[in-house]
Amino acid sequence: MTDTITNLLPIVQDAIADALGIDEAEVTSDATLLGDLGAESIDLLDILFRIERASGVKITVADIGALLQGGIPDEEFGDENEVVNNTGLTHLEKVLPQFDRSQLDEPLTADQVLGLFTVRNLLDLLTERAAAAHAG
C-alpha cells in the first residue's frame, strides 16, 4: 500500500497545483483544499477530473460528501440550525484523522465540514479507491 501512496501522491499534488495555479510546494498533506489552498467548488471538480485523468480512478464530490457524512441522515448529523452535533462530530473524528473537536472555537456548521478536507484526506480516499479497483 505504501507503494500506491508514493505513486499517487505526485498525481494529487500535480492536480491540485495545476488546477489552482499554485506552486506544488504549497500542496502539503495537512493543507485544507478550500481554506489553506483557496480552492472553490469549481476548482474541486477540476482537481478531481485531473486526478481521474492521471490515475484512472474516479472520485466525485459526492464521494467526498459521503465520506464526510458517512451515510448519517442530515437530521442525525446536525441540528435544525445546521450545527454538526455529537453524532456528526464523532464520525468526523473517525474519518478525518486530523480533526479534533476540542480545537473548535465555535460550533461547526454543516457548511464548514468540506473545509476540513485536506490534501492527505484526498490522497487517502484516492489510495483506497485505487486499491479497491485493483483488487476488484
Side-chain angles (χ1 to χ4, degrees):
M1 187 66 99
T2 303
D3 287 345
T4 303
I5 291 172
T6 304
N7 295 336
L8 294 175
L9 178 59
I11 291 173
V12 171
Q13 289 174 318
D14 289 346
I16 293 169
D18 289 349
L20 300 179
I22 60 175
D23 190 271
E24 202 170 294
E26 294 179 58
V27 185
T28 61
S29 64
D30 62 339
T32 59
L33 295 172
L34 276 61
D36 297 332
L37 300 179
E40 297 180 4
S41 299
I42 193 76
D43 297 320
L44 189 53
L45 294 172
D46 187 17
I47 291 165
L48 296 176
F49 174 73
R50 290 171 187 264
I51 288 172
E52 180 182 2
R53 195 171 53 206
S55 70
V57 178
K58 182 175 182 135
I59 297 174
T60 65
V61 173
D63 295 334
I64 294 171
L67 170 76
L68 293 173
Q69 195 159 339
I72 300 169
D74 290 346
E75 62 276 2
E76 292 178 32
F77 191 80
D79 65 21
E80 66 278 350
N81 297 318
E82 297 291 315
V83 173
V84 179
N85 63 25
N86 189 52
T87 300
L89 293 172
T90 299
H91 174 72
L92 289 172
E93 287 177 320
K94 284 184 209 168
V95 298
L96 302 177
Q98 78 280 2
F99 178 68
D100 178 359
R101 73 170 87 192
S102 71
Q103 301 298 313
L104 294 174
D105 294 330
E106 54 191 41
L108 181 68
T109 64
D111 289 343
Q112 295 170 319
V113 171
L114 186 57
L116 300 172
F117 200 70
T118 65
V119 172
R120 180 57 173 199
N121 300 140
L122 180 57
L123 177 61
D124 290 346
L125 183 57
L126 178 61
T127 302
E128 178 184 300
R129 291 289 168 93
H134 184 70

